[in-house]
Amino acid sequence: MLGVEDEFGQQGSCSHTHTHTQCETDLPDCPAQQTPTPKTGCDELDRAEVKCEDYYTEIVPGVFAQCWPSGRKQCLAAGKVCKKPAPGLSAGSPGESCVDLFEKGAKTSGSYYIKPSGAPDAFQVFCDMEDRGDSGGWTLVFGNTGSGFKSFRVGTPSPLLDPKSADGPSDKLEYTLANAKYIKWTDTDFKAILLAEFKDIGDYYKEVITQQGDQKTQAKYLKGDYVTYGWHDELAQHGDRGHYWGFYESGYKCWWDTNTKDRPFYNDNGGNNLIHKCQAYDPPYTWDGTAKRGGSFDYNIWIKEK
């Protein structure tokens, strides 16, 4: 047995020239001093994120190898090599969506990289991964936390990476809101206000952003007093001004009127009239006087694709 030291300074013993501490006789050796070239199919690592060179893949449990053009592998020390980062933690290893990452095991809320179908590059979003009663995997697509009124079409689109400071629409709505199956409003402490499902994925985006259709969208509420209404028309008007949410049923329900700059949801100018308040969750949200026409109520909008 020959004592060898791998490139990480870890001592191992192998009966041949492999430089790893777990010897595998069925793995070919690699020529010394050869500069590796990434091979198709190898796992890409974000070097800036994980401080690793080139490309690595697992060959046996706990032993990773560098990919070579010839298919030969250079074995590396178990426990000392760079592994492919968990999905979503780097641009080189994005998830398809927040809910995709949640289903793959991500359970900590924060910024993640995603690359939805059709997106040219991966980009960062804020994902709420905590199961607060509606499972995790929600993508932040809008916030209004500043003094000025914002809507999906009012405000400068930008990356939204902090619910507390998100103020305006996401700059990636065409890859997030456009794919929405579910939508949720919360305050900036993640306390839910409204939870609804779209009948047609992307229909709301088509109405509000691309200004196509009949200026309404089919939705149904999933919790709270409005579940009994089933599928119904929600307002989704065209242009920079209009009603971007709400319906009338013995009162204005969950009214988001961008003409009069309602700070969701208009509830009789901040009063206590439940006819005009949004009771679209269980337990119902406890509104304060800032949620009114021209008010200062801070809130976020989230979507989920499935």
Side-chain angles (χ1 to χ4, degrees):
M1 298 293 286
L2 175 66
V4 296
E5 187 174 273
D6 66 24
E7 63 182 283
F8 298 96
Q10 182 168 335
Q11 188 72 27
S13 296
C14 294
S15 57
H16 42 80
T17 58
H18 286 156
T19 56
H20 60 83
T21 57
Q22 180 176 341
C23 301
E24 296 292 334
T25 58
D26 60 340
L27 298 174
D29 296 327
C30 293
Q33 307 302 319
Q34 181 176 340
T35 301
T37 301
K39 180 186 175 185
T40 301
C42 294
D43 293 331
E44 183 176 0
L45 299 176
D46 188 321
R47 302 179 189 183
E49 289 275 345
V50 297
K51 309 272 192 305
C52 212
E53 290 293 329
D54 301 306
Y55 297 71
Y56 296 84
T57 189
E58 191 168 30
I59 49 177
V60 294
V63 177
F64 289 70
Q66 198 169 65
C67 294
W68 297 70
S70 65
R72 292 154 66 89
K73 296 180 173 69
Q74 179 180 8
C75 305
L76 304 175
K80 285 286 189 178
V81 300
C82 293
K83 301 179 182 181
K84 184 178 179 179
L89 299 185
S90 74
S93 182
E96 184 177 346
S97 63
C98 288
V99 67
D100 171 57
L101 292 169
F102 178 79
E103 291 175 345
K104 289 177 178 176
K107 296 296 184 285
T108 302
S109 297
S111 297
Y112 289 87
Y113 286 91
I114 63 171
K115 189 175 184 294
S117 177
D121 301 296
F123 55 89
Q124 278 187 295
V125 294
F126 187 94
C127 300
D128 182 10
M129 296 302 196
E130 186 173 334
D131 187 347
R132 306 174 194 276
D134 307 312
S135 191
W138 292 89
T139 305
L140 181 62
V141 295
F142 178 83
N144 201 171
T145 59
S147 58
F149 175 81
K150 303 293 190 305
S151 76
F152 280 127
R153 296 180 62 90
V154 176
T156 303
S158 63
L160 304 181
L161 303 181
D162 182 358
K164 294 285 189 182
S165 60
D167 196 34
S170 162
D171 60 349
K172 301 296 184 183
L173 292 180
E174 62 190 300
Y175 303 116
T176 54
L177 182 64
N179 297 322
K181 179 64 175 174
Y182 302 98
I183 191 166
K184 181 166 69 171
W185 268 259
T186 72
D187 63 19
T188 54
D189 291 319
F190 302 96
K191 189 172 181 180
I193 297 165
L194 174 157
L195 178 65
E197 177 182 355
F198 293 119
K199 194 166 191 177
D200 296 312
I201 296 177
D203 188 52
Y204 183 71
Y205 174 86
K206 179 183 71 176
E207 297 285 352
V208 173
I209 305 300
T210 66
Q211 304 184 61
Q212 303 174 54
D214 56 8
Q215 305 201 68
K216 55 189 177 183
T217 191
Q218 281 275 297
K220 69 176 179 180
Y221 292 97
L222 301 179
K223 291 186 178 182
D225 294 347
Y226 305 156
V227 169
T228 56
Y229 297 136
W231 292 111
H232 62 279
D233 289 334
E234 286 283 342
L235 289 168
Q237 293 181 332
H238 300 170
D240 292 344
R241 292 285 188 269
H243 295 80
Y244 285 174
W245 197 265
F247 69 105
Y248 188 89
E249 184 70 41
S250 301
Y252 298 100
K253 310 298 188 187
C254 303
W255 212 243
W256 190 17
D257 184 350
T258 70
N259 296 292
T260 52
K261 300 184 178 181
D262 289 350
R263 200 77 171 225
F265 284 96
Y266 177 58
N267 53 46
D268 199 18
N269 205 32
N272 296 314
N273 188 345
L274 288 179
I275 291 177
H276 298 301
K277 283 192 175 181
C278 185
Q279 303 291 292
Y281 200 79
D282 186 17
Y285 189 77
T286 302
W287 295 96
D288 62 36
T290 64
K292 62 182 181 180
R293 189 149 289 171
S296 59
F297 180 73
D298 290 347
Y299 67 101
N300 300 130
I301 300 178
W302 310 79
I303 63 95
K304 186 187 281 192
E305 293 81 357
K306 59 181 178 177

